[in-house]
Amino acid sequence: MATKYIFFTGGVVSSVGKGVTAAALGRTLKERGLTVAVQKLDPYINVDPGTMSPYQHGEVFVLDDGAETDLDLGHYERFIDIRATRVSNFTAGQVYNEIITKERKGDYLGGTIQVIPHITNEIKRRVALVAETHKPDIVLCEVGGTVGDIESQPFLESLRQLRNEVGRENVLFVHVTWLPYIGATHELKTKPTQHSVAALRSIGISPNIIIARSDHPVARDLCDKIALFCDVDKAAVVPMVTSKVLYEIPLLLEKSGLPDYVLGLLKLESRQKPNYGEWETIVQRVNMPKPPVKIALVGKYVELEDAYMSVREAIKHAALEAGVEASIEWIHSAELERDKNLDRLNAVDGIIVPGGFGSRGTEGKIMAARYARENKIPYLGLCLGMQLMCIEFARNVLGFADANSSEFDRSTSHPVIDLMNDQRSITDMGGTMRLGLYPCEIKPGTKAASAYQTQHIDERHRHRWEFNNKYREDFENAGMVFSGLSPDGKLVEISEIRDHPYMVASQFHPEFLSRPNRPHPLFLGFLRAIVEYAKQQH
Ligand code: GLN
């Protein structure tokens, strides 16, 4: 049977949760026994988000195959419980790169290269690649940005063409818009939605479904008005009020009747009755009163919580399982460094130092690691968080006063974190780190072993620097345990402090593999240690 496509476009403003909506709809379709694959199209010119600042873009989400992708891929993986691949995210930069490389080789000799057909054909080829690679019943494909953006036009044009090529009965357009609320008159407005649908129709796309996002309850007659003005079925306008509980959205979509409506339009049959038992348990647990715990997240991009999206979600997943209400205290590492005031860490039950690049704020993170070690506060280090934990240990336990990573200080006499050998000759910054899934062996009898309950693991990486093996013995003799190593024993993957309730850190990023119903072992171990620590404190 032909693959079906559901395209998601955004109207009015960005950041209204198009990715979450698409991911949640994906879940409801999977619950019906259908297979789904996902894709995010990013119309910006960067080749991938790997070289963009988290301030610009939020977190870079890393896949098994090492693709550095948009954070929406994280929503897809968490909601639908799939493992996406490189074909699931591409940018205008990749498309142009491909076409220009071919042009230079002479593939189009004599021809003029144009947006239509050259760029649009390449976009269509890449969209089809998801269906070819994953062979799903349905491809969910989200176009980044908002309808009306200049840069998204070739993408929308490609999808319009694709609809005719694969058959209209195989394609749906879902337009996700925003209803602004006017405080003075206490009303929601549909006009911007009408305009964005008009913009979409002016390029030949009539949406089949409109999802009206809002922070306020949306009355049925407002939806009917949208249906009338935007020329869609009444049943095709679905209000989606901002939910306090992210993981409730599949349940809300189910209640709205949208999944069956979608199957009806696509002429697909459900293969099984949806079973939301696990999701209902998650939502019940979220809504249950639980003892509070406070976790400090010491990072340099804390003004933008999206920069730590997967870490935040992984904390939530583990906290639900551990039966506590975890609140995050966002602490700016550069401020910690500047003010040298650790008072805020006094009141927390656990400390996370997440990944990062560049030297700004690293001394603040090292101070946080020291505080966690000396006060026996549970600590979880993620990538850079492991490197800094080792630097702190070298300075304050081993007495190597200027110990550092050669990333931050090239002239340190103790580069306890150093550039990996195969990184030394690399000059291109994009896509050249140690990226994606690599195996790791866990040392029995360690905290990592009791967290994982297994000896062999595979985790996602994104780094250039590593623990310098010259120092392994010194560290081990002083109480550091290297509890996870690459199978050849050459790379430190997990470190932990022996005489500490839970000071565990990994060179990889465990947050990318956490699921709402399957918290990541290292996060769960951390939360369990926090529960114990909090008991002693309160
Ligand atoms: N900057 C460090 C490295 O490249 C850590 C990277 C990270 O935290 N993702 O090794």
Side-chain angles (χ1 to χ4, degrees):
M1 203 176 57
T3 304
K4 308 284 183 178
Y5 291 89
I6 306 180
F7 296 119
F8 292 82
T9 55
V12 184
V13 283
S14 59
S15 306
V16 298
K18 192 166 23 120
V20 169
T21 309
L25 184 64
R27 180 77 219 184
T28 66
L29 299 172
K30 185 180 180 182
E31 286 296 335
R32 286 166 166 71
L34 297 158
T35 52
V36 286
V38 295
Q39 191 174 43
K40 172 84 193 284
L41 315 186
D42 282 309
Y44 53 73
I45 313 288
N46 301 63
V47 169
D48 62 39
T51 51
M52 277 158 99
S53 157
Y55 285 129
Q56 294 278 318
H57 190 272
E59 152 187 291
V60 174
F61 191 80
V62 182
L63 306 181
D64 287 349
D65 60 13
E68 297 174 277
T69 69
D70 185 75
L71 54 75
D72 275 328
L73 271 289
H75 293 310
Y76 295 135
E77 289 205 342
R78 286 186 286 267
F79 274 92
I80 313 176
D81 201 0
I82 46 170
R83 306 275 280 247
T85 64
R86 191 170 289 280
V87 295
S88 287
N89 189 204
F90 71 86
T91 68
Q94 282 171 33
V95 171
Y96 278 88
N97 205 13
E98 178 105 18
I99 298 297
I100 291 170
T101 308
K102 279 191 187 160
E103 188 271 343
R104 291 289 84 184
K105 275 204 314 221
D107 284 10
Y108 308 107
L109 277 187
T112 306
I113 317 299
Q114 297 184 293
V115 172
I116 305 173
H118 299 93
I119 297 298
T120 48
N121 282 352
E122 178 59 17
I123 292 174
K124 286 187 287 182
R125 185 185 73 79
R126 285 170 178 259
V127 172
L129 217 48
V130 185
E132 278 165 34
T133 310
H134 293 279
K135 303 200 172 27
D137 295 313
I138 307 171
V139 174
L140 301 174
C141 175
E142 176 192 352
V143 186
T146 309
V147 169
D149 298 344
I150 289 178
E151 56 188 14
S152 65
Q153 277 194 10
F155 285 83
L156 295 170
E157 166 62 15
S158 306
L159 303 185
R160 185 194 66 76
Q161 294 175 12
L162 199 129
R163 178 188 57 189
N164 296 337
E165 288 163 21
V166 303
R168 286 175 179 252
E169 67 287 3
N170 296 323
V171 172
L172 284 187
F173 280 94
V174 177
H175 191 52
V176 184
T177 78
W178 179 252
L179 306 181
Y181 180 78
I182 309 294
T185 51
H186 308 292
E187 52 175 355
L188 289 168
K189 289 299 203 182
T190 66
K191 189 74 81 193
T193 296
Q194 296 173 40
H195 281 300
S196 78
V197 171
L200 200 51
R201 291 170 79 187
S202 74
I203 46 179
I205 296 173
S206 292
N208 305 85
I209 290 163
I210 296 175
I211 296 187
R213 287 273 299 104
S214 167
D215 279 341
H216 300 266
V218 185
R220 194 59 241 177
D221 61 344
L222 213 67
C223 294
D224 293 351
K225 183 174 169 189
I226 294 172
L228 179 67
F229 280 90
C230 299
D231 194 30
V232 295
D233 281 357
K234 283 185 181 174
V237 181
V238 179
M240 184 54 59
V241 180
T242 306
S243 170
K244 203 173 91 244
V245 187
L246 196 63
Y247 297 112
E248 193 181 12
I249 297 173
L251 302 177
L252 296 175
L253 278 182
E254 189 64 49
K255 239 189 255 158
S256 76
L258 182 66
D260 287 329
Y261 183 76
V262 164
L263 290 202
L265 291 182
L266 291 174
K267 309 222 165 12
L268 280 176
E269 298 279 336
S270 181
R271 299 205 182 111
Q272 69 188 34
K273 229 172 105 43
N275 175 359
Y276 290 101
E278 268 188 329
W279 287 82
E280 280 157 3
T281 310
I282 293 169
V283 176
Q284 275 163 12
R285 281 187 178 173
V286 174
N287 290 328
M288 229 153 53
K290 296 174 284 295
V293 297
K294 212 185 254 177
I295 297 173
L297 193 143
V298 185
K300 82 172 186 194
Y301 312 111
V302 290
E303 304 91 331
L304 183 72
E305 292 184 17
D306 276 7
Y308 303 104
M309 175 81 80
S310 294
V311 178
R312 194 182 63 190
E313 292 308 303
I315 292 173
K316 276 197 216 165
H317 306 159
L320 278 186
E321 182 77 29
V324 286
E325 186 75 51
S327 63
I328 301 179
E329 180 96 357
W330 301 90
I331 296 185
H332 206 299
S333 50
E335 279 170 23
L336 217 54
E337 188 173 316
R338 186 193 60 207
D339 304 340
K340 308 219 172 345
N341 181 353
L342 296 175
D343 285 355
R344 282 176 76 195
L345 294 179
N346 232 330
V348 304
D349 306 301
I351 296 174
I352 291 191
V353 175
F357 296 84
S359 63
R360 182 169 69 96
T362 48
E363 291 301 322
K365 293 176 187 169
I366 291 172
M367 285 161 65
R370 178 176 193 171
Y371 191 83
R373 182 177 55 77
E374 290 179 344
N375 295 287
K376 302 224 182 299
I377 302 173
Y379 174 97
L380 181 63
L382 310 170
C383 201
L384 180 65
M386 182 191 100
Q387 299 175 352
L388 297 177
M389 175 178 117
C390 292
I391 293 169
E392 189 281 315
F393 193 85
R395 288 186 191 172
N396 303 313
V397 178
L398 294 173
F400 303 156
D402 79 332
N404 215 328
S405 163
S406 55
E407 181 181 4
F408 314 128
D409 179 2
R410 276 166 203 263
S411 58
T412 168
S413 49
H414 291 289
V416 293
I417 305 297
D418 205 2
L419 204 55
M420 281 184 281
N421 249 334
D422 45 7
Q423 287 284 335
R424 291 186 192 274
S425 54
I426 289 175
T427 50
D428 277 4
M429 294 306 279
T432 55
M433 283 186 260
R434 180 171 180 250
L435 290 165
L437 215 58
Y438 285 93
C440 164
E441 298 297 327
I442 308 270
K443 195 173 189 171
T446 59
K447 291 189 185 78
S450 53
Y452 275 104
Q453 300 284 325
T454 173
Q455 211 169 327
H456 177 90
I457 55 162
D458 294 278
E459 294 278 3
R460 292 178 177 176
H461 297 69
R462 183 172 185 250
H463 67 118
R464 273 185 223 286
W465 277 263
E466 62 169 325
F467 182 81
N468 185 343
N469 289 330
K470 267 203 317 226
Y471 292 97
R472 261 203 221 172
E473 233 182 278
D474 290 336
F475 274 65
E476 280 171 335
N477 291 340
M480 177 85 80
V481 180
F482 297 113
S483 49
L485 297 177
S486 57
D488 63 5
K490 287 190 178 147
L491 280 179
V492 170
E493 293 279 10
I494 311 179
S495 321
E496 54 186 73
I497 306 249
R498 199 191 309 123
D499 298 321
H500 189 289
Y502 195 91
M503 190 147 185
V504 180
S506 62
Q507 187 56 80
F508 49 80
H509 290 270
E511 66 271 24
F512 294 140
L513 292 182
S514 182
R515 296 286 187 268
N517 55 348
R518 259 192 339 277
H520 190 282
L522 290 185
F523 277 86
L524 188 56
F526 175 58
L527 260 299
R528 293 213 160 116
I530 283 179
V531 171
E532 284 311 307
Y533 177 81
K535 264 192 216 154
Q536 296 158 19
Q537 302 299 308
H538 304 309

